[in-house]
Amino acid sequence: ETGMITYDPGFVNTGSCSSSVTFIDGEKGILRYRGYDVDDLAENCEFIEVAYLLINGSLPTREEKAKYTNLLNQHSLIHEDMIEFFRHYPEHSHPMAVLSAMAVSLSSFYPEMSENHKEELSMTVTRLLSKLRTIAAFSYKKSIGEPIVYPRHDLRYCENFLNMMFNSPVCDMPYNDTMTESLNKLLIIHADHEQNCSASVVRGVGSAGANLYAAISGGICALWGPLHGGANQHVIEMLENIMEEGGNIDKVLERAKSKRSPFRLMGFGHRVYKSYDPRAKIAKALCKEVMASLNKHDPLLDLAMELEEKALADPYFQERGLYPNVDFYTGLTYREMGIPTNMFTVMFAIGRLPGWIAQFMEMRKDPHGRISRPRQIYTGPSVRKVVPIDQR
Ligand code: SDX
């Protein structure tokens, strides 16, 4: 009668679903895409094979891979009018804003084909996989005032991206094989992660009947958040601040543990992993490989490893199952490659795109699928009548 409902504050409508795309065991630190361990895929496959696996459910044969490569190349250009869009986009926009805006505007330039025709859907998907990578590289070139570098038919997916990012009329050999192979592995470890925040947004937007481009644009916005895909950028900023303030790691750990401050150790902790994120292990090794290949030494890596060692020895982190997550070392690796901090989450989005597409397609194919509509427990005032404004 009073309308006051008591409820468990921990109640959260997780909007969970069943899915055959990705399996995670957070206690054991296991991550599998369609049954394959992520480190097995990172070691033995190219990113486009993993994208094919997530979207189609099996790894491609040699013939299927050749056809896929050809399709990705065919679709690697974007409409020249879209390049005009870059020219007039506000100068200091975050690349994730550009990526999200360009993703949804693809539907104006490339009408989405019918989902009922396998070939047409495959065309839409391949188009998106290839063009988002081009858009990311073009937005970077625009941001540094350099001429854009067009994709080339003779370069594979990752090499094409690095070439579009770093080649210029005055630069020769802007990347090496280790960078190409490391980028390949980095994109693979980001490719999907079951019902994370951005995948849930993609499913939610798609469940309303919106097209794939719109759903991906929503996923990009969710990923941008510092608690999600934006963390890789914030890890570097955190490490740089620690360095500037004299490298006092104990002080940083105290701040991260304090309830008085909203500060959290960026790149640490995870909603699902209460053990070492298997992707963080791969990223840590890649960071060292890229540095060695470029004959570089970055004191931030030493600081990151010392921070990890101290945090893992700290009871606060141990009791809460807080370990490095995928973002703790990936930013450092991108940084060694010469990718600027504000592009780190764009890299995450390029890697996650096949996973978002796979989640979208699975949701759309669900015969029992319905519009995403979480419910709530109402905690507001009970019914009341409006009174004239002078009596309020
Ligand atoms: C990604 O979901 C996915 O799969 C995401 C992702 C993917 O591939 O899509 O894996 C990618 O988003 C990785 C996470 C990147 N974000 C960060 O690194 C930001 C820093 N991490 C935290 O904000 C946090 O760990 C989250 C957001 C990642 C997870 O938060 P949870 O699971 O909601 O953790 P929680 O808030 O329940 O924390 C439990 C306890 C709390 O302390 P108590 O209230 O129990 O005393 O652990 C503490 C938290 O304060 N805690 C941290 C911490 N993370 C959690 N304390 C200090 N530093 C941290 N990083």
Side-chain angles (χ1 to χ4, degrees):
E1 184 53 27
T2 61
M4 292 315 290
I5 299 169
T6 55
Y7 72 106
D8 165 13
F11 171 84
V12 174
N13 178 327
T14 56
S16 56
C17 65
S18 63
S19 174
S20 63
V21 180
T22 292
F23 170 77
I24 299 175
D25 181 326
E27 296 308 321
K28 295 182 187 145
I30 294 172
L31 170 58
R32 295 189 190 124
Y33 303 151
R34 303 282 190 190
Y36 293 92
D37 277 322
V38 69
D39 29 21
D40 189 6
L41 292 167
E43 200 49 45
N44 299 299
C45 293
E46 283 186 44
F47 172 62
I48 63 160
E49 293 178 272
V50 175
Y52 187 97
L53 166 68
L54 284 166
I55 293 164
N56 299 291
S58 57
L59 283 170
T61 61
R62 186 173 297 280
E63 188 193 348
E64 286 165 338
K65 181 183 171 184
K67 191 176 165 206
Y68 210 50
T69 302
N70 189 31
L71 259 181
L72 286 167
N73 269 331
Q74 268 177 29
H75 293 306
S76 54
L77 286 171
I78 60 173
H79 194 293
E80 283 294 308
D81 287 357
M82 287 187 91
I83 295 172
E84 273 312 298
F85 184 104
F86 279 108
R87 292 200 209 293
H88 302 292
Y89 213 76
E91 192 65 33
H92 301 296
S93 310
H94 195 287
M96 286 296 273
V98 181
L99 201 70
S100 173
M102 296 296 268
V104 72
S105 62
L106 281 169
S107 53
S108 310
F109 290 92
Y110 306 97
E112 196 191 8
M113 310 268 193
S114 154
E115 292 175 26
N116 304 320
H117 298 284
K118 194 167 181 299
E119 283 305 305
E120 289 194 1
L121 180 59
S122 170
M123 184 78 80
T124 300
V125 163
T126 327
R127 180 178 280 146
L128 188 53
L129 271 176
S130 194
K131 292 183 190 305
L132 205 71
R133 169 202 47 177
T134 303
I135 288 167
F138 283 14
S139 66
Y140 168 63
K141 283 296 198 186
K142 159 89 172 83
S143 71
I144 57 172
E146 280 193 10
I148 56 175
V149 173
Y150 282 89
R152 283 173 34 181
H153 66 85
D154 58 331
L155 296 180
R156 294 183 304 172
Y157 192 93
C158 290
E159 203 175 354
N160 229 332
F161 175 75
L162 291 172
N163 190 59
M164 287 191 277
M165 281 284 287
F166 297 128
N167 211 326
S168 87
V170 292
C171 173
D172 183 29
M173 271 323 288
Y175 54 87
N176 64 31
D177 290 345
T178 306
M179 285 170 66
T180 305
E181 283 148 31
S182 300
L183 179 59
N184 185 64
K185 290 178 179 172
L186 284 167
L187 295 182
I188 289 172
I189 65 173
H190 283 93
D192 192 51
H193 214 240
E194 55 137 278
Q195 304 314 310
N196 57 83
C197 177
S198 52
S200 305
V201 167
V202 169
R203 279 179 173 259
V205 171
S207 75
N211 66 52
L212 175 61
Y213 301 125
I216 297 302
S217 179
I220 291 168
C221 291
L223 188 72
W224 193 0
L227 295 188
H228 191 9
N232 52 19
Q233 177 174 343
H234 290 267
V235 168
I236 298 297
E237 288 158 8
M238 174 184 74
L239 293 172
E240 284 172 339
N241 289 340
I242 296 171
M243 199 66 98
E244 279 157 25
E245 291 167 10
N248 186 333
I249 290 179
D250 296 329
K251 196 173 103 189
V252 172
L253 293 180
E254 286 316 308
R255 266 186 70 205
K257 297 188 288 188
S258 158
K259 290 302 155 213
R260 288 186 307 281
S261 111
F263 173 75
R264 286 192 162 175
L265 212 49
M266 299 315 278
F268 252 75
H270 198 274
R271 175 65 93 204
V272 179
Y273 290 121
K274 301 308 172 190
S275 58
Y276 212 104
D277 185 333
R279 302 169 297 176
K281 278 184 198 141
I282 296 170
K284 186 176 181 179
L286 288 178
C287 191
K288 293 178 183 172
E289 282 169 28
V290 169
M291 259 191 233
S293 80
L294 295 170
N295 206 12
K296 274 183 169 180
H297 175 72
D298 186 342
L300 282 193
L301 177 60
D302 298 336
L303 180 64
M305 293 194 292
E306 191 186 347
L307 181 59
E308 172 191 344
E309 188 181 344
K310 287 201 169 184
L312 295 184
D314 187 309
Y316 171 94
F317 289 86
Q318 291 170 348
E319 289 155 10
R320 292 167 177 79
L322 302 176
Y323 292 81
N325 60 50
V326 66
D327 292 305
F328 193 63
Y329 287 105
T330 45
L332 281 163
T333 313
Y334 292 138
R335 173 184 154 99
E336 300 323 319
M337 289 181 176
I339 296 173
T341 315
N342 68 353
M343 284 287 289
F344 289 1
T345 312
V346 171
M347 301 306 295
F348 195 141
I350 296 173
R352 185 53 53 89
L353 183 57
W356 284 335
I357 293 170
Q359 301 279 352
F360 175 95
M361 289 168 68
E362 182 175 67
M363 174 276 304
R364 281 286 245 264
K365 281 184 198 146
D366 179 352
H368 308 294
R370 307 175 76 181
I371 188 169
S372 168
R373 180 52 173 93
R375 290 312 309 274
Q376 63 168 27
I377 288 182
Y378 175 70
T379 59
S382 50
V383 65
R384 47 187 173 169
K385 301 292 280 176
V386 174
V387 295
I389 192 162
D390 298 330
Q391 295 171 32
R392 287 177 204 160

